[in-house]
């Protein structure tokens, strides 16, 4: 892909120490302005995205493959006589996108909530202020981030991580989840574990090789590793019951100079969101083809009842959660004070997205409303079930060679997971699924007679 780059992720320096460097850096002219123009009638817009961070698909991978942004710009060009070009730059995390935005080399970028705050702070300090203009996908409980360990590990809960090696990407949303979870468990996030700052792919390899005990990462790494049989879930980020999301940030200068182009991007994002919501299987297949990720893992997050809910709206719950993230980053010396209200700009989305708002629902805010799904091979739709037991019965009646993936919600948090990777509990005639052993243990402890059973036993009991 154009502009693909691997940039080592290192702890970011306190903002004050970046100011002298900022004065030495020649600030590039806006990509959407003179520097991005090959002549007076050509405008190049540079978009930074994370192809494998599939929660940003509607502003990145899926949007690019559908060509909606280019279509919107072509229509604009017919009106004003200019030629618009889009340059897509793919990165593994949000940090390098922010680095490029603060030198004027990227106009629009998408990243997670913690990186968005760093983006706001760096932009302000390096005199390239940015604005948060839309959301891609979110989970109101925090289920987009997960801590996983090796399938054969004897670790059973977050408390078992004390003194262990844990890989994460410092400054990422997954790091934020890890910090909060450890603190909640009474473990010092910095001294209680041996934290390794690694790119997601590096951390995944380290977990597989056994050089780390656990991996805390964002979508889609935990699900991908679980699907491939290389990891099992240890901690569900939804236990924090705090929203997590990814969003779109834009350079303020670009937003003011090229307001119409930004409108086109947001209109295109809305179209991509419509496509994903209306054709989730096709969207998952498209993202999988572009990224090399298993489509089954993509659908776990981006499916009809997936872990992520896609809606560009800057919901109050998400902004409130963003404000709660600031102290975590301040304590890590990654940002100073961040004025979240000043960073959030609702005007462009309100101006660009003329379609009716999506219903304000989230299937994961209440565990009891989440659905189970069965994806059969060769089908472009899935079957939905009201209970995990009904799903297992349907899966048992189908030939194993016909089942592509089966998904069940965690009975406590609603987080969707692969049925054959979940922890199952038999409670009388009922069957319940859980993402982690600790969830199952909690349920069994509260329900006399309930017992943990293997997946094969659960299927047999259901059929």
């Amino acid at each position: 892909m154009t502009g693909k780059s691997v940039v080592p992720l290192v702890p970011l320096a306190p903002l004050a120490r970046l100011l002298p460097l900022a004065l030495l850096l020649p600030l590039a002219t806006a990509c959407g302005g003179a520097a991005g123009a090959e002549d007076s009638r050509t405008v190049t817009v540079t978009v930074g995205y994370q192809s494998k961070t599939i929660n940003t698909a509607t502003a990145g991978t899926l949007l690019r493959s559908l060509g909606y942004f280019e279509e919107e710009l072509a229509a604009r060009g017919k009106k004003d006589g200019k030629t618009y070009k889009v340059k897509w730059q793919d990165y593994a995390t949000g940090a390098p996108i922010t680095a490029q935005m603060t030198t004027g080399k990227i106009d629009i970028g998408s990243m997670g909530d913690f990186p968005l705050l760093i983006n706001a702070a760096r932009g302000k300090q390096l005199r390239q202020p940015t604005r948060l203009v839309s959301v891609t996908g979110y989970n109101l409980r925090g289920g987009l981030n997960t801590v996983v360990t090796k399938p054969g590990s004897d670790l059973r809960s977050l408390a078992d991580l004390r003194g262990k090696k844990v890989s994460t990407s410092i400054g990422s949303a997954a790091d934020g989840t890890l910090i909060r979870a450890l603190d909640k468990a009474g473990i010092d996030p910095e001294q209680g574990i041996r934290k390794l700052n690694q790119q997601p792919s590096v951390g995944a390899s380290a977990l597989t090789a056994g050089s780390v005990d656990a991996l805390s990462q964002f979508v889609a790494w935990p699900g991908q590793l679980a699907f491939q049989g290389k990891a099992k879930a240890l901690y569900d980020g939804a236990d924090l019951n705090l929203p997590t999301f990814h969003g779109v940030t834009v350079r303020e200068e670009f937003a003011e100079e090229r307001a119409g182009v930004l409108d086109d991007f947001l209109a295109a994002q809305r179209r991509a969101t419509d496509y994903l919501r209306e054709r989730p299987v096709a969207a998952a297949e498209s993202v999988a083809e572009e990224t090399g990720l298993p489509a089954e893992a993509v659908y776990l997050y981006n499916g009809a009842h997936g872990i992520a809910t896609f809606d560009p709206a800057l919901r109050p719950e998400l902004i409130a959660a963003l404000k709660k993230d600031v102290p975590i980053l301040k304590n890590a010396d990654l940002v100073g004070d961040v004025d979240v209200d000043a960073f959030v700009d609702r005007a462009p989305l309100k101006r660009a997205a003329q379609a009716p708002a999506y219903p304000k629902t989230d299937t994961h805010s209440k565990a009891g409303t989440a659905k189970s799904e069965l994806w059969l091979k060769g089908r472009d739709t899935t079957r939905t079930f009201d209970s995990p037991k009904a799903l297992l019965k349907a899966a048992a009646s189908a030939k194993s060679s016909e089942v592509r993936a089966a998904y069940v919600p965690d009975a406590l948090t609603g987080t969707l997971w692969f049925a054959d990777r979940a922890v199952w509990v038999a409670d009388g005639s009922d069957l319940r699924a859980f993402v982690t052993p600790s969830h199952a243990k909690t349920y069994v402890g509260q329900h006399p007679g309930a017992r943990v059973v293997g997946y094969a036993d659960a299927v047999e009991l259901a059929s």
Side-chain angles (χ1 to χ4, degrees), residues 86-278:
V86 183
K87 183 178 181 181
W88 297 88
Q89 293 188 345
D90 187 11
Y91 298 93
T93 64
I97 296 176
T98 289
Q100 293 294 301
M101 291 185 78
T102 56
T103 56
K105 296 178 181 178
I106 286 180
D107 301 308
I108 302 169
S110 55
M111 59 193 71
D113 40 19
F114 275 68
L116 281 169
L117 289 171
I118 295 175
N119 180 274
R122 295 293 183 266
K124 182 178 180 180
Q125 292 296 323
L126 298 180
R127 301 176 185 176
Q128 281 280 7
T130 56
R131 302 175 184 174
L132 173 62
V133 292
S134 70
V135 169
T136 54
Y138 66 88
N139 182 283
L140 290 183
R141 293 186 64 109
L144 294 170
N145 307 311
T146 311
V147 180
V148 297
T149 187
K150 293 190 68 173
S153 172
D154 58 1
L155 301 177
R156 292 291 181 270
S157 70
L158 201 73
D160 296 332
L161 287 183
R162 194 183 300 273
K164 303 295 185 180
K165 287 184 180 180
V166 183
S167 172
T168 192
S169 302
I170 290 179
S172 72
D175 183 34
T177 291
L178 179 64
I179 291 171
R180 278 197 171 98
L182 289 172
D183 187 63
K184 189 176 180 180
I187 301 174
D188 187 306
E190 300 303 325
Q191 304 300 321
I193 63 170
R194 288 179 284 173
K195 185 189 289 189
L196 278 69
N197 182 25
Q198 297 177 323
Q199 290 275 4
S201 60
V202 175
S205 296
L207 181 69
T208 301
S211 57
V212 297
D213 300 292
L215 171 74
S216 180
Q217 273 301 345
F218 46 77
V219 48
W221 291 97
Q224 175 189 355
L225 292 171
F227 175 74
Q228 295 170 337
K230 297 179 180 179
K232 66 178 181 181
L234 182 69
Y235 183 82
D236 178 2
D239 284 340
L240 293 173
N241 199 23
L242 185 67
T244 185
F245 70 98
H246 289 68
V248 175
T249 178
V250 61
R251 290 189 304 105
E252 186 176 281
E253 182 180 7
F254 176 86
E256 294 174 352
E257 294 182 353
R258 302 288 183 187
V261 174
L262 176 59
D263 290 355
D264 291 340
F265 182 88
L266 295 175
Q269 184 195 343
R270 169 68 192 226
R271 290 175 61 190
T273 305
D274 288 343
Y275 182 95
L276 184 147
R277 291 172 70 111
E278 294 167 5

Side-chain angles (χ1 to χ4, degrees), residues 331-352:
N331 290 339
D333 289 330
L334 295 179
V335 301
D337 291 321
V338 179
D339 187 341
V340 173
D341 290 325
F343 178 49
V344 176
D345 187 355
R346 292 178 171 82
L349 186 61
K350 184 177 180 180
R351 186 175 63 234

Side-chain angles (χ1 to χ4, degrees), residues 31-76:
C31 296
E38 297 171 10
D39 55 56
S40 60
R41 307 191 70 81
T42 301
V43 177
T44 299
V45 184
T46 304
V47 180
Y49 73 113
Q50 303 169 63
S51 63
K52 292 190 176 183
T53 306
I54 55 174
N55 196 47
T56 65
T58 53
T61 306
L62 181 63
L63 177 60
R64 178 180 182 179
S65 66
L66 292 172
Y68 289 162
F69 187 30
E70 287 81 355
E71 288 180 11
E72 296 286 342
L73 290 176
R76 178 169 297 279

Side-chain angles (χ1 to χ4, degrees), residues 383-450:
R383 295 177 60 189
T384 302
F385 302 88
D386 289 331
S387 71
K389 184 177 181 179
L391 168 80
L392 291 181
K393 188 174 182 179
S397 64
K399 295 180 181 179
S400 59
S401 60
E402 296 177 348
V403 177
R404 185 165 183 179
Y407 307 92
V408 289
D410 185 288
L412 295 181
T413 65
T415 301
L416 207 67
W417 206 242
F418 296 108
D420 59 345
R421 305 301 184 203
V423 183
W424 286 89
V425 169
D427 186 5
S429 62
D430 196 12
L431 289 166
R432 296 177 181 270
F434 301 89
V435 174
T436 65
S438 61
H439 283 184
K441 182 179 179 180
T442 297
Y443 183 88
V444 169
Q446 297 172 348
H447 297 79

